[in-house]
Amino acid sequence: MADMDTDDRRTLIWFEHLRRGDVALVGGKNASLGEMVQSLDASRIRVPPGFATTSSAYRAFIAANGFGAVLREELAALGEGRKTLAQAGRAIRETLATGAFPPQIEADILDAYRELGRRTGRENPAVAVRSSATAEDLPDASFAGQQETFLNVEGERALLMACRRCYASLFTDRAITYREINGFDHLDVALSIGVQLMVRSDIAGSGVMFSIDTESGFDRTVLINAAWGLGENVVQGAVSPDEYQVYKPFLARPELVPITHKSLGAKEIKMICGTGDGAATRNVPTSKAERESFVLSDGEILELARAAVEIEAHYGCPMDMEWARDGIDGQLYIVQARPETVQSRRGAGAMKTYSLGAHGERLLSGLSVGGAVASGEVIIIESAADIDRFVDGAVLVTSTTDPDWVPVMKRAAAIVTDHGGRTSHAAIVSRELGVPAVVGTGNATHVLHDQQQVTVSCAEGEEGVIYAGRAEVTVEELDLAHVPETRTQVMLNLANPSTAARWWRLPADGVGLARMEFVVSNEVRVHPLALTRYEQVVSEDDRAAIDALTRGHADRTAYFVETLARGLARIAAVWHPRPVIVRMSDFKTNEYADLLGGRAFEPQEENPMIGFRGASRYYSEGYRDGFELECRAIRHLREGMGFDNVVVMIPFCRTVGEADRVLEVMAAQGLERGKAGLEVYVMCEIPSNVIEAERFAERFDGFSIGSNDLTQLTLGIDRDSEALAELFSERDPAVLWMIQTVIAKARKAGRKIGLCGQAPSNDPGFARLLVQAGISSISVTPDSFLAVKRNVAEAEAG
Ligand code: PEP
Ligand code: MG
């Protein structure tokens, strides 16, 4: 096959006659466009029509102009140090841009352009002229984003000019460097030009999309980035785009809206087409209305995600795609698709986890890329001209992570930028290089200064944080190849939606405890009553902050319901169809008061730990409308989004009378135990839960032992007291008696019984005692999962 391709003398081919295997002929991008035009159902996935010149055309161009010698000479000068990269690169590009096309090739290009006009009923149609590089031996090499694209090119003269400039862009500094690093011969690569009908996203929006989560490799989610105007800003990382995630397995069910994440990007600028012919695009500031609204509607997010799934299925591998919305016909188009290269190459067997110990003051934050942590000295690089100032192992701080800087990025301990999203090309380069990056911080170049020691942490979920000084870091390698099987279920305690996907490869039996209050404080941030009783919020500042957060939602309560449901969905999605036990909110009054607008609604208590907390709140006049929002979020999550693996759990339920009242409020909100498969559990964390276990068992499907509170209340020790810390032990006979007793009672009543307190996470040997007592599941923090699993397996073996 390969030989046939190399011998192919055709110089121009329409997309519909290309297949993905034609990489040697037309490069990955154009082959992929051809594959899509030819094989995908155009009624569902629109790909703009067009044609591509082949690598034979490129070689004919080089030969006809006698450029081979120039290339050899300049590259030799670079190799021997007689010229810098900038000098040699510029000389080559200037030479190539002045070349003349062999007459037949020029005639073919212009004929095809006229034909494109005829097909679309337009004379001199506007086209995008894209470069697609190709290396004969390594068709899967990612040259993406290294060569240039010229947009909104109109007319024959402009088209030919853009084509020559595409050829020249095979020798951008960045492309030369990439080939040097990856061992490609500069003379073996060729360039194919794709000429594609222009999608007018300059007057609409566009972006990037991946058929997996780029950070964790989680393969059941689509990640979409979107900004206003042409897509280059998203690719280059010049703007902070909107970000959306969609759970793929539910896309086939039209009644569901499985959008698990939506975050509004700053989208400071947008790229538009210049007037006059050719490639003169320029950036303009976005309007306030544009910055404050999502680029895509829910319907469009789902349409793109469905396209991503279909494209991935067709190619049989994770895909990296660019999309654009046409401002004239309002339709969505796929303008590029290529295999994703970073996560797919990563081995699935081992997981490295970084955790941060003692650290300095938090200086700023942005989006994390890569999961690692690194420390070093800050060097702020404002422009390419400063690059020489960079020192190996320093932290590169810049306004945008320009992919031209790959050589510097490679030498950096970490990278921090003002702008850019997770799918920016530079973020992808950082990931590929294994360098942690925090992008889109807004103002790193102002807040940080040269020679400052900092730690860049990408180990805390999607938020990347920069701390002053060098922090303590532990790195652990989890070996997933040797995890024993156990009869007792081992589940995870998770509360942070943004880190949930990181653990998707762990063979856990689901989530034993998802603490809702963490999702409220991290994602929702507003006290529910400040939304249901907004007029009682006294502070003007709080009202303004609430207005800003809830903008774009049908009403204030919808903000709470949707944001909370999506936060929980990101945890539920990773484990579906395995159970995910979501515990209703269990803040103490002082913690609720710290939520935005919360102070007006919370009493001051002497002992919040044993105060107005848990079940007691849910049916009381003082919180019931807040609890109803929590219930609505659960319904939305289970019924609107499809996560029927979600089990509800009631915390701190002091009496069976309380249990009845809470179950009644839930039922009134459409959350009825047993209906639509809903299971409701209760925490066992008060001695009364053990003493009355038989009666609780009549009301709930299962128990989960909260050993933190149960120890506190059995021994009468404030769990936060340092002075009494030594006495606080789950191994104390009184506490063990409680645990053993409730396990026995639950089993007798035919109810499930697990434990989700901290004990086995801190002390994996504790899991043995639980197995011996006959527990059905143990839920632990992800870092201790393997140790607990081993202890459980050993205890089960006797
Ligand atoms: C517990 O009490 O053990 C428990 C898991 O709940 P929390 O720590 O959230 O109180
Ligand atoms: Mg508790």
Side-chain angles (χ1 to χ4, degrees):
M1 272 300 283
D3 283 342
M4 255 177 64
D5 283 346
T6 356
D7 289 346
D8 195 327
R9 292 292 150 95
R10 286 177 295 170
T11 52
L12 185 144
I13 306 175
W14 285 87
F15 286 162
E16 57 267 35
H17 298 135
L18 285 168
R19 296 302 303 243
R20 62 187 296 204
D22 291 327
V23 176
L25 205 57
V26 293
K29 269 193 235 173
N30 285 334
S32 210
L33 282 169
E35 178 79 18
M36 287 195 292
V37 168
Q38 186 168 126
S39 326
L40 299 175
D41 182 337
S43 68
R44 289 195 301 273
I45 301 178
R46 282 172 290 274
V47 181
F51 56 88
T53 64
T54 65
S55 50
S56 305
Y58 169 79
R59 294 192 199 291
F61 173 86
I62 296 290
N65 289 284
F67 287 156
V70 182
L71 291 180
R72 272 187 292 277
E73 163 50 26
E74 292 294 334
L75 292 166
L78 171 63
E80 290 156 18
R82 284 182 280 121
K83 280 195 173 181
T84 63
L85 173 62
Q87 289 167 335
R90 187 172 344 100
I92 295 175
R93 291 192 298 275
E94 281 173 6
T95 307
L96 263 57
T98 60
F101 279 97
Q104 187 55 51
I105 292 178
E106 181 169 315
D108 287 348
I109 293 174
L110 295 180
D111 275 353
Y113 179 62
R114 289 172 202 137
E115 169 65 19
L116 195 59
R118 272 192 294 281
R119 285 191 193 183
T120 51
R122 295 178 220 172
E123 202 179 326
N124 288 329
V127 289
V129 183
R130 297 176 188 281
S131 307
S132 186
T134 158
E136 280 170 26
D137 301 336
L138 280 168
D140 63 345
S142 164
F143 294 117
Q146 292 169 15
Q147 284 78 41
E148 283 185 63
T149 290
F150 299 92
L151 295 170
N152 214 24
V153 177
E154 280 180 46
E156 299 182 358
R157 202 179 54 85
L159 173 62
L160 291 176
M161 171 64 88
C163 288
R164 282 193 296 268
R165 288 168 65 190
C166 279
Y167 282 168
S169 77
L170 191 51
F171 293 89
T172 57
D173 296 353
R174 136 176 33 141
I176 296 174
T177 307
Y178 182 91
R179 290 193 294 265
E180 295 275 332
I181 292 174
N182 292 286
F184 291 104
D185 187 327
H186 297 292
L187 298 174
D188 270 358
V189 291
L191 191 133
S192 157
I193 302 161
V195 178
Q196 186 179 33
L197 202 66
M198 177 74 191
V199 177
R200 291 299 306 276
S201 56
D202 53 317
I203 50 170
S206 54
V208 174
M209 148 166 100
F210 287 85
S211 68
I212 57 168
D213 175 34
T214 51
E215 287 309 306
S216 62
F218 178 50
D219 57 1
R220 291 194 297 284
T221 198
V222 173
L223 173 70
I224 303 172
N225 274 190
W228 299 110
L230 298 168
E232 299 311 300
N233 282 340
V234 179
V235 177
Q236 303 282 347
V239 289
S240 303
D242 293 344
E243 186 169 304
Y244 318 106
Q245 277 179 38
V246 183
Y247 185 61
K248 285 148 76 173
F250 292 164
L251 280 167
R253 293 169 57 187
E255 75 281 13
L256 300 178
V257 182
I259 301 173
T260 57
H261 183 54
K262 267 173 96 163
S263 76
L264 194 66
K267 309 184 292 278
E268 307 87 343
I269 50 171
K270 63 175 178 181
M271 189 180 278
I272 58 169
C273 296
T275 42
D277 68 356
T281 56
R282 65 195 162 95
N283 274 314
V284 294
T286 42
S287 67
K288 188 164 179 286
E290 284 173 325
R291 287 194 294 278
E292 285 175 356
S293 48
F294 287 110
V295 173
L296 293 173
S297 68
D298 285 2
E300 289 174 321
I301 294 169
L302 295 177
E303 182 184 334
L304 282 177
R306 287 196 178 95
V309 168
E310 201 167 327
I311 293 170
E312 179 184 66
H314 178 74
Y315 282 80
C317 62
M319 296 295 287
D320 164 352
M321 291 148 283
E322 288 177 34
W323 61 269
R325 182 172 62 206
D326 188 295
I328 295 168
D329 68 15
Q331 306 270 32
L332 292 165
Y333 291 85
I334 302 296
V335 292
Q336 251 181 59
R338 54 187 162 254
E340 191 274 349
T341 50
V342 179
Q343 286 294 344
S344 343
R345 272 195 225 138
R346 189 163 288 169
M351 264 177 92
K352 237 188 201 170
T353 62
Y354 290 74
S355 38
L356 203 64
H359 57 75
E361 184 201 348
R362 178 189 170 106
L363 300 174
L364 78 166
S365 68
L367 291 171
S368 69
V369 175
V373 181
S375 301
E377 180 186 300
V378 166
I379 295 187
I380 298 177
I381 301 282
E382 302 278 6
S383 74
D386 288 348
I387 279 181
D388 294 342
R389 283 182 43 232
F390 196 77
V391 179
D392 283 6
V395 173
L396 170 66
V397 178
T398 171
S399 98
T400 61
T401 50
D402 189 321
D404 270 333
W405 302 5
V406 172
V408 188
M409 293 166 78
K410 213 183 146 224
R411 291 158 47 210
I415 295 161
V416 180
T417 75
D418 290 347
H419 308 292
R422 206 182 296 285
T423 57
S424 61
H425 193 269
I428 292 166
V429 171
S430 306
R431 210 176 283 122
E432 188 168 332
L433 294 173
V435 177
V438 176
V439 299
T441 60
N443 53 1
T445 51
H446 296 288
V447 173
L448 303 177
H449 55 82
D450 273 353
Q451 279 153 26
Q452 185 178 11
Q453 291 288 337
V454 295
T455 297
V456 177
S457 167
C458 296
E460 293 155 75
E462 284 176 2
E463 186 184 38
V465 186
I466 292 96
Y467 297 100
R470 287 178 178 267
E472 274 174 22
V473 185
T474 29
V475 188
E476 216 194 328
E477 188 106 21
L478 299 182
D479 175 12
L480 297 185
H482 305 99
V483 186
E485 302 251 343
T486 60
R487 285 188 303 279
T488 311
Q489 295 190 323
V490 181
M491 304 171 89
L492 298 176
N493 291 351
L494 290 177
N496 188 346
S498 76
T499 47
R502 196 198 292 175
W503 308 107
W504 73 279
R505 288 194 168 98
L506 289 183
D509 294 302
V511 173
L513 175 63
R515 290 177 166 100
M516 181 190 281
E517 64 272 14
F518 280 60
V519 182
V520 171
S521 62
N522 285 330
E523 315 258 311
V524 180
R525 304 200 344 245
V526 187
H527 193 290
L529 300 188
L531 299 165
T532 58
R533 309 180 195 177
Y534 176 75
E535 61 294 339
Q536 291 175 28
V537 177
V538 267
S539 148
E540 280 297 317
D541 287 353
D542 284 357
R543 283 187 186 221
I546 291 170
D547 292 347
L549 282 171
T550 55
R551 201 174 285 128
H553 291 267
D555 60 50
R556 292 187 197 96
T557 61
Y559 163 77
F560 186 94
V561 171
E562 286 164 22
T563 312
L564 177 57
R566 279 200 286 266
L568 294 168
R570 288 165 80 191
I571 299 174
V574 178
W575 304 100
H576 188 272
R578 285 166 276 182
V580 169
I581 304 174
V582 175
R583 189 181 70 184
M584 305 306 269
S585 73
D586 189 24
F587 281 126
K588 325 291 179 289
T589 42
N590 54 320
E591 295 164 337
Y592 274 109
D594 285 342
L595 291 173
L596 196 53
R599 225 149 278 283
F601 304 103
E602 295 296 333
Q604 285 250 348
E605 293 186 299
E606 287 297 328
N607 292 304
M609 192 76 91
I610 48 171
F612 188 42
R613 159 179 188 198
S616 310
R617 297 177 67 94
Y618 301 163
Y619 58 85
S620 93
E621 281 313 305
Y623 188 71
R624 184 182 163 137
D625 40 339
F627 182 65
E628 286 173 356
L629 295 190
E630 297 181 18
C631 291
R632 273 172 57 193
I634 297 286
R635 268 196 83 175
H636 184 52
L637 178 62
R638 287 178 47 90
E639 295 165 24
M641 302 173 92
F643 294 103
D644 54 6
N645 56 327
V646 167
V647 173
V648 171
M649 184 153 69
I650 304 302
F652 226 78
C653 187
R654 289 158 163 118
T655 67
V656 286
E658 283 208 309
D660 289 335
R661 296 186 71 172
V662 169
L663 290 169
E664 216 172 280
V665 179
M666 285 175 56
Q669 291 303 310
L671 287 181
E672 210 172 315
R673 190 181 151 215
K675 205 171 126 194
L678 176 68
E679 286 193 299
V680 185
Y681 284 27
V682 65
M683 293 283 292
C684 171
E685 51 189 349
I686 306 171
S688 64
N689 300 138
V690 181
I691 296 163
E692 293 257 68
E694 295 85 351
R695 294 176 69 208
F696 280 105
E698 287 164 11
R699 289 158 174 82
F700 293 99
D701 298 286
F703 295 89
S704 185
I705 302 167
S707 52
N708 310 338
D709 278 313
L710 190 58
T711 305
Q712 159 171 270
L713 296 171
T714 301
L715 297 178
I717 297 174
D718 177 345
R719 60 195 260 189
D720 296 333
S721 162
E722 271 178 42
L724 297 173
E726 245 175 72
L727 275 177
F728 188 97
S729 166
E730 294 88 345
R731 287 181 182 258
D732 182 279
V735 180
L736 280 181
W737 184 89
M738 287 285 179
I739 293 173
Q740 286 157 349
T741 303
V742 76
I743 292 175
K745 287 186 176 190
R747 293 198 82 100
K748 187 149 177 247
R751 294 290 181 245
K752 286 181 208 143
I753 172 86
L755 183 141
C756 63
Q758 199 52 35
S761 301
N762 295 345
D763 168 12
F766 192 77
R768 293 165 174 265
L769 300 178
L770 298 173
V771 172
Q772 283 152 12
I775 202 141
S776 35
S777 70
I778 301 175
S779 192
V780 297
T781 53
D783 54 328
S784 53
F785 176 82
L786 289 186
V788 169
K789 197 81 178 158
R790 281 189 212 112
N791 272 282
V792 170
E794 285 164 24
E796 284 178 350

